[in-house]
Structures are given as structure tokens and as C-alpha cells.
Amino acid sequence: MVNRDTFSGYHPLVNFLYFALVLVFGMCFMHPICLGITLLGAAAYHLYLHGRKSLRFSLGDDTTRQMAMISNNVDILCEVTPEILDYMVSQNDKIACWYNEFPYATSDDPCSKGIGFGIGNGAPWDNKFFRWGVALAMDFEEVSLSIFDGAGRASAFPCITATTAGQELYYKPVVEWLQNEFKMELSDGTVITGADVWDPDYCERMAAELGIEGDRAYLEDMFGIGYWKYNPELAEKLFIEAGLEKKDDGWYFNGEPFVIHLTYLADTEAQAGRGVTAAYDQLTKFGFNCEISSESSATWDTINSTGEFEIRGIWPTGFITKDIYSQINGWDADLIKPVGEQSSGQGTRWNSEKATEIIHELAKVSPDSDESYQLGIEFLKTAVEDMPFIGFHSGVKFVPTNSTVWEGYPTAANAYNGPWWWWSCFKYIVPYITPVQG
């Protein structure tokens, strides 16, 4: 039988030189054309070795991918849901995730999943009281259980994600401000404070719900340092402040029945999609007439850019470095274009003069300066006050590995890197993944 694997017929030095050059090429040449050539070459060689049937494992549905990993035909998957992971682990003891026990997934992916608003569409979407009303009308414990059975670190704030570093550097100082200084006044004289809107004990209640034990620091790392308080009475006041009217048969705006349209990306991004479904359930329970629909990936990015949506399951946040300029510069209001035109900035069209001024100031200062950090804190306070996006959790990634053939994947117990198979930093993980001996 002829061995189709051409590499096995060459001297080890030749193979070493080839793979060394491949790694150098992958690390140094980041132009899309170069990366495309790399991908096509790898795919062609994979097809040459394994035949056309191998395409099923690259392009198949969830069931095909699941069975491929169980039968040791796939080494890494990105990504699955908790129930799929649970089944795969029960069928193959070589399959594992970031943790070996709850929550299994890492919560340090820097893109919060949640709901964004089509602010560019005008009232009531452009009214902060309406957006605040949505935040307080939802019971986040129910939302969290609906998404991934309670797994995930709460990431409530707009624009910045509650990664481990983000929670320490930005969330904790802003929560302190929220609890002690935050005020929002309604036209009837009602003064809303942090105690009315912030729930610092979410982590403890969720731990009790799931039977998780640990000290406060452990629970905060797992579930977050708090979330928006479920406060339906105050939510109703906020909706009325935004111009809505509650009648016996539902909510009205400008004398017409008010309908909320929610959309999510179909067939992928399960965390975001389930979040939108949970929001739909919560707002319907609150009394709104809601419609929900999925959308094809063929049009998703275009509509995100043109802003032609009302409430949408998106992930416009980030947090990787202490200097947040690169994560927030897309919120610059100078980038906004009319709804229907493609925008180079955020599709929600949050038009904040104060936030834009901070972004412009950040562009002028050293990224490692204290001034940069303080500007970042002020930006996040501004975003909290205006609520252009309601985060649910940071990116919760169930990304299993199969150690039948390869070992050395990063895990919580061997955290030399995160399980970011889909990012370019995967090239820094590859040298640590080695064949299983014996």
C-alpha cells in the first residue's frame, strides 16, 4: 500500500526545515491573501490525505462534528454547547474542556454577548430611559439559566468585557462609583441611585441555585461581581419616562401598539442566540408584544453596519489590555452614518458627545499612562449612564479537545495560554501540543 503522506518519505531535517518555515510564515505574514493561501494549502493537503469524506468533518452540522470528535477524527472543536459537551465527555474520556468540572468553559473570551439597540432608528430606542427600562425588566438569574445553565461570568456593562483583568481594572472601580455616586433623575422628581439598579449579590444566589461552594472571591471570578437588579416597578417608570404608555392590552408608543423586534444570528454563536431568546421571554413576560427571528450570516454583518434593527444579539465589547482605546474607538460618534448606510463604527449608532471627546483624548495620550487609565474609567461611566448595550456574560467558550492523538492543550491546570483555537494566537499554542507517546 502506497503511503500518501509525502512527508514520511523525506529526511527528518527536510521536514524540520519545512515546518519551521511554515511557522515563521504564519507568524510574520498577516496579510489576508497570505493567510488565505495558507488556509487553502492546508485544506487541499487534508483533502488529499483523507478524501472528500473529510469535508464533512470541516463543514458538518453539530451532530456530525460531535460524532467526529467522539470517534477520534477531530482533535479540537470550536465551539459547542454545554449539553453537547456533556454527551461527548460521557462517550469518550479523552475529551475535556478548560475545566474538568463546572463551569467547564472559560469566561475570559473578551467579547460580551448581550443585546444592542438600534439607537439610530430614533425614539424610543435613542432614549436612555427606555434602554435602562429593558435592563431592569429582565430577571438575569432566569436569563443566565436559559443560556448555558448558569455558567458564565456576568458582564453587565456596555463596551468593556468582564474578563478576569477587565473585572479587576474597570468593573470594580466603576461598581464602587455606581453604588456611591450614580444618580439618574426622572421628570417627576424620582431620583434613581445605584442601590435601585445594581445587585451585588448575584454571584451568591447563583452559586446557591447551582450548589457551588466557595468564598466570595471564588464566586465573583465564576459568576461576576454583580448585575443589574431585577426591578420591574422601576422599569415601568422608566418606560413611561421614555414616552411609552401602558394599557390593559399592552404597551403603546405615540398612540400605536408598540412591538419589539429581536434578531439573532442563525446556526452559530449559541450564547448570543440563546441570550436573545431569553430577552424575548423576559420582555414578553413583562408585558411587551415581541417578535423574534433568526438571520442568515450572509446578511448579518451588513445589517449590523447599516443599523437596520431594533434589538439584536451582538458582541460589540472587548477587553484585553489596560489601555482600552483600540476596544472603544469604534464608538466614536464621528463615524456614525444615517441608518441604511454602512458605517465604519458601531452599528448601534450611539451618539454620545462626551464618549467621543474621551475617545479623542485617549488617542493623544500614552497608552501606559495613568491619564489613559482614568480616561478609560470615565468612558465606562459614561457608557453605563447611557446604556447603549446590555451585556449578559463575557464570552463563555466551551471548546473541547481530544487527547487521544495529541496532548499539551492549554487548560485551567496548564494555563500557558487560553483555548483560543480560532484566533491567530493559536500559532503560539501549536509548539506545546505534542503527540501522545506509546
Side-chain angles (χ1 to χ4, degrees), residues 2-44:
V2 178
N3 190 338
R4 298 177 71 192
D5 181 1
T6 307
F7 290 103
S8 61
Y10 287 95
H11 190 278
L13 184 59
V14 174
N15 289 334
F16 172 80
L17 180 61
Y18 172 80
F19 284 107
L21 289 173
V22 167
L23 288 173
V24 170
F25 185 98
M27 291 191 314
C28 297
F29 297 96
M30 303 304 292
H31 191 281
I33 293 178
C34 296
L35 296 177
I37 292 171
T38 303
L39 175 63
L40 289 174

Side-chain angles (χ1 to χ4, degrees), residues 62-312:
D62 280 343
T63 301
T64 303
R65 295 164 65 234
Q66 175 180 326
M67 297 311 298
M69 177 165 267
I70 290 172
S71 58
N72 302 322
N73 287 308
V74 167
D75 304 302
I76 295 171
L77 273 183
C78 174
E79 57 192 289
V80 301
T81 60
E83 52 273 16
I84 289 178
L85 175 69
D86 183 62
Y87 178 76
M88 289 196 303
V89 170
S90 73
Q91 299 299 306
N92 188 331
D93 63 5
K94 298 297 184 181
I95 296 174
C97 211
W98 182 250
Y99 295 106
N100 290 324
E101 57 187 15
F102 186 90
Y104 303 103
T106 177
S107 288
D108 271 333
D109 180 85
C111 293
S112 298
K113 305 299 192 297
I115 54 174
F117 300 91
I119 297 173
N121 291 299
W125 314 102
D126 62 353
N127 191 309
K128 73 174 184 179
F129 296 118
F130 174 83
R131 302 191 295 269
W132 265 102
V134 172
L136 303 185
M138 296 185 292
D139 184 336
F140 185 61
E141 289 176 53
E142 293 182 0
V143 170
S144 186
L145 290 168
S146 296
I147 297 175
F148 283 156
D149 302 325
R153 187 184 301 129
S155 187
F157 293 165
C159 307
I160 300 297
T161 306
T163 60
T164 300
Q167 186 160 268
E168 289 297 321
L169 286 169
Y170 281 89
Y171 269 60
K172 288 185 176 180
V174 173
V175 164
E176 184 177 354
W177 161 81
L178 187 61
Q179 292 176 315
N180 296 300
E181 300 178 42
F182 173 82
K183 284 184 175 59
M184 185 164 54
E185 188 169 351
L186 306 184
S187 59
D188 65 359
T190 300
V191 176
I192 300 169
T193 67
D196 299 311
V197 301
W198 186 251
D199 174 12
D201 298 322
Y202 162 75
C203 66
E204 295 183 357
R205 289 199 312 281
M206 184 54 70
E209 171 76 23
L210 299 173
I212 304 296
E213 297 181 354
D215 61 19
R216 178 77 184 200
Y218 177 78
L219 298 182
E220 286 185 351
D221 181 64
M222 184 177 292
F223 297 112
I225 62 172
Y227 197 78
W228 304 122
K229 183 178 289 187
Y230 178 48
N231 192 339
E233 290 184 8
L234 182 53
E236 184 172 312
K237 280 190 173 185
L238 288 161
F239 288 131
I240 293 171
E241 183 74 15
L244 275 70
E245 181 183 5
K246 187 177 183 182
K247 297 185 179 182
D248 291 341
D249 59 344
W251 287 89
Y252 283 69
F253 184 68
N254 289 337
E256 298 291 333
F258 183 64
V259 181
I260 297 176
H261 303 271
L262 301 95
T263 53
Y264 65 93
L265 180 60
D267 301 325
T268 183
E269 295 293 347
Q271 182 185 348
R274 292 182 183 190
V276 173
T277 302
Y280 167 86
D281 292 339
Q282 292 293 312
L283 294 174
T284 300
K285 183 173 73 171
F286 188 83
F288 281 110
N289 181 5
C290 297
E291 296 177 352
I292 186 170
S293 61
S294 62
E295 193 173 296
S296 166
S297 57
T299 59
W300 181 261
D301 288 340
T302 298
I303 293 177
N304 272 346
S305 178
T306 59
E308 296 168 292
F309 58 86
E310 293 181 353
I311 290 183
R312 194 166 179 82

Side-chain angles (χ1 to χ4, degrees), residues 368-401:
D368 58 359
S369 67
D370 185 62
E371 184 181 2
S372 170
Y373 176 57
Q374 293 305 321
L375 285 167
I377 293 288
E378 289 305 311
F379 176 88
L380 186 53
K381 291 178 183 178
T382 302
V384 166
E385 289 174 331
D386 261 16
M387 197 69 74
F389 169 80
I390 301 171
F392 288 155
H393 300 92
S394 57
V396 184
K397 294 298 182 181
F398 292 87
V399 282
T401 58

